[in-house]
Amino acid sequence: MTTPTTFDTAITVRAEPVEAGAGTSTSSVRTGRVALPTKGPLLSGKGWTAFFVALIVVCAVAPVLNMWVPADSPLHMSDYAVALVGKIMCYAICALAMDLIWGYTGILSLGHGLFFALGGYMMGMYLMRQIGRDGNYKSDLPDFMVFLDWKTLPWHWTFSDSFIATLILIVAVPGLIAFVFGFFAFRSRIKGVYFSIITQAMTFAAMLLFFRNETGFGGNNGFTDFKRILGIPIATQEMRMTIFALTGVTLLAFFLFAKWLIASKFGRVLQAIRDAESRVMFSGYNPLPYKLSIWVISAVMCGVAGALYVPQVGIINPSEMSAANSIEIAIWAAVGGRASLIGPIIGAFIVNGAKSWLTVAYPEYWLYFLGALFIAVTLFLPNGIVGLVRQWLSREKAAPVAASSARAEAQRSLATEQGMEPEAIAAPLHAEPKGARA
């Protein structure tokens, strides 16, 4: 008869009887400890090296190449390159957010473009107020409001002249909308393709709302013609590089935060929900707060990315909420490699770099290329570029092991044929050619 044995790890294991033998009795039990997973370092040594190299490039190398290297030098980083890389880094933050919700939780969202645009609109409202009387109509109201013959600011513009309030709204507005939507969606246990469809429908509905002039968001034209931020001209080279560096630091900070989050108990529960949500429920966990929390965090990350995006491109309009933009975010994550964190960042740079070139060289073929890329990744690279690299590295590591196993098997076969011990013929199998040590 066996008895349950409880260890100090609070995990109960049923002991098994040990077969009778010399010095043992059938009543003996086999005991041991259950090893719980230990939390490793946030990054490896090489990982920290790459992190600090990226930090130096963003905060020191890029500003030097743009501001102090002569424009006729091949090492000069042009203002166009600064704006392009800064924009792609904002996209990379969105791709990282998508990886948290899709790659690690298994929830495909086609509505993250909405949260990106909301963060951009919050920053855009502040930048419009910073124009002051420098607009075309020399009014304290934004030009589009004067054109529409509005006399006062709408209620939702109340705190738009405060930078601190704007920072709070950049986080609060996308987070609140994501919380309300996610609470009812996850509470109703909507999942899979149905969840993806309703997120896309939510984004499309918001886009139609923002297109209307009476909403007070600039209608079809949105917000543009920004002059300054914190009273400093926004078009100066110094301000552009400051925003560029801030975007890079934010991307790296979000990457570290995501690594920490996924390595925590919270992250392990998210991955368990992705793999088998019903088993998580049977284990006593309620998936709702976990899914809702990561959904809100992902939305806030996109909102911050949108706020950093607007000062660099100089415009925000409802087209940022289009369904195509939200789908592109998913494509970046898929191309780079889901559930890898670094993969979506790489995917964002590759896809948007190709987009910048193709839309100039072959503008009519860009959308066909994007669709073909998504199909090819789905069929041939389900784990993305990072997954392909990992697979190749694992094969490289497995090759010596396989060769060693093959030699050992050949040694055993030869020993069996000759009636000898395998160790007796080990030397001939590994013998060096004559004169090798001459």
Side-chain angles (χ1 to χ4, degrees):
M1 181 177 180
T2 59
T3 58
T5 304
T6 304
F7 299 102
D8 55 358
T9 56
I11 296 179
T12 302
V13 179
R14 186 169 296 278
E16 298 177 359
V18 182
E19 295 180 0
T24 64
S25 65
T26 56
S27 61
S28 301
V29 295
R30 184 182 297 132
T31 61
R33 291 181 178 273
V34 177
L36 296 177
T38 58
K39 191 174 182 179
L42 190 62
L43 292 175
S44 63
K46 293 181 179 179
W48 280 116
T49 301
F51 177 85
F52 284 113
V53 167
L55 186 63
I56 293 172
V57 168
V58 168
C59 297
V61 177
V64 169
L65 295 180
N66 176 253
M67 300 174 65
W68 285 287
V69 174
D72 56 352
S73 172
L75 297 178
H76 176 71
M77 187 175 185
S78 65
D79 292 341
Y80 170 78
V82 170
L84 177 62
V85 175
K87 181 175 69 172
I88 294 178
M89 286 192 295
C90 294
Y91 291 155
I93 295 175
C94 293
L96 185 62
M98 176 62 71
D99 197 29
L100 290 177
I101 192 67
W102 186 25
Y104 286 97
T105 317
I107 302 172
L108 174 58
S109 167
L110 297 180
H112 268 44
L114 170 62
F115 307 127
F116 177 81
L118 287 174
Y121 266 98
M122 295 303 105
M123 176 58 74
M125 292 165 68
Y126 168 77
L127 295 176
M128 291 297 288
R129 293 296 302 276
Q130 284 282 294
I131 295 175
R133 290 182 174 271
D134 293 338
N136 294 327
Y137 296 102
K138 309 300 180 184
S139 171
D140 291 329
L141 296 177
D143 283 347
F144 75 91
M145 293 187 184
V146 178
F147 179 78
L148 294 173
D149 197 27
W150 290 17
K151 304 303 181 184
T152 58
L153 290 168
W155 65 269
H156 50 273
W157 283 71
T158 303
F159 301 105
S160 57
D161 59 340
S162 170
F163 185 73
I164 300 299
T166 298
L167 294 180
I168 296 174
L169 290 173
I170 287 170
V171 174
V173 172
L176 180 61
I177 292 178
F179 178 84
V180 173
F181 175 86
F183 177 79
F184 290 104
F186 297 137
R187 188 182 181 186
S188 302
R189 298 186 180 180
I190 300 174
K191 59 181 67 176
V193 66
Y194 303 103
F195 183 85
S196 302
I197 291 173
I198 63 172
T199 56
Q200 193 171 56
M202 173 186 65
T203 304
F204 188 74
M207 182 182 68
L208 295 180
L209 179 66
F210 275 66
F211 266 124
R212 301 179 67 88
N213 287 325
E214 57 266 27
T215 58
F217 293 109
N220 183 57
N221 296 322
F223 303 149
T224 187
D225 195 28
F226 307 130
K227 303 294 185 184
R228 60 186 67 87
I229 181 171
L230 291 173
I232 305 172
I234 201 171
T236 61
Q237 199 172 31
E238 293 78 7
M239 178 55 70
R240 290 187 181 277
M241 283 309 307
T242 300
I243 299 175
F244 173 90
L246 181 61
T247 303
V249 170
T250 303
L251 172 60
L252 293 173
F254 274 139
F255 175 76
L256 284 183
F257 169 74
K259 288 284 290 184
W260 169 80
L261 190 67
I262 294 304
S264 65
K265 177 184 176 182
F266 180 86
R268 292 197 295 271
V269 174
L270 291 180
Q271 296 172 70
I273 291 173
R274 175 197 63 191
D275 297 335
E277 184 173 348
S278 59
R279 292 188 179 183
V280 173
M281 297 173 65
F282 293 150
S283 300
Y285 288 91
N286 181 11
L288 175 60
Y290 291 92
K291 294 163 72 173
L292 185 58
S293 298
I294 196 64
W295 171 253
V296 172
I297 290 172
S298 180
V300 169
M301 290 173 63
C302 285
V304 173
L308 293 168
Y309 171 86
V310 170
Q312 298 183 81
V313 301
I315 188 173
I316 179 69
N317 57 43
S319 64
E320 296 295 339
M321 301 181 188
S322 66
N325 286 7
S326 295
I327 294 174
E328 280 191 41
I329 297 175
I331 292 176
W332 304 334
V335 169
R338 290 180 293 152
S340 62
L341 295 182
I342 189 63
I345 297 175
I346 296 173
F349 273 88
I350 291 176
V351 175
N352 286 285
K355 179 180 180 179
S356 298
W357 178 74
L358 284 171
T359 50
V360 174
Y362 307 100
E364 64 275 13
Y365 298 116
W366 158 243
L367 291 179
Y368 295 104
F369 169 79
L370 186 66
L373 178 65
F374 190 58
I375 294 173
V377 168
T378 303
L379 294 177
F380 306 110
L381 292 175
N383 297 318
I385 295 173
V386 170
L388 181 65
V389 173
R390 287 175 175 173
Q391 185 178 3
W392 179 77
L393 291 176
S394 63
R395 287 180 179 177
E396 289 292 318
K397 293 180 180 179
V401 177
S404 177
S405 300
R407 287 194 298 268
E409 182 63 28
Q411 178 179 325
R412 287 193 294 269
S413 299
L414 185 59
T416 302
E417 292 176 0
Q418 298 181 4
M420 302 170 59
E421 292 294 330
E423 292 76 7
I425 61 173
L429 283 177
H430 296 86
E432 295 178 350
K434 292 182 179 180
R437 296 176 180 261

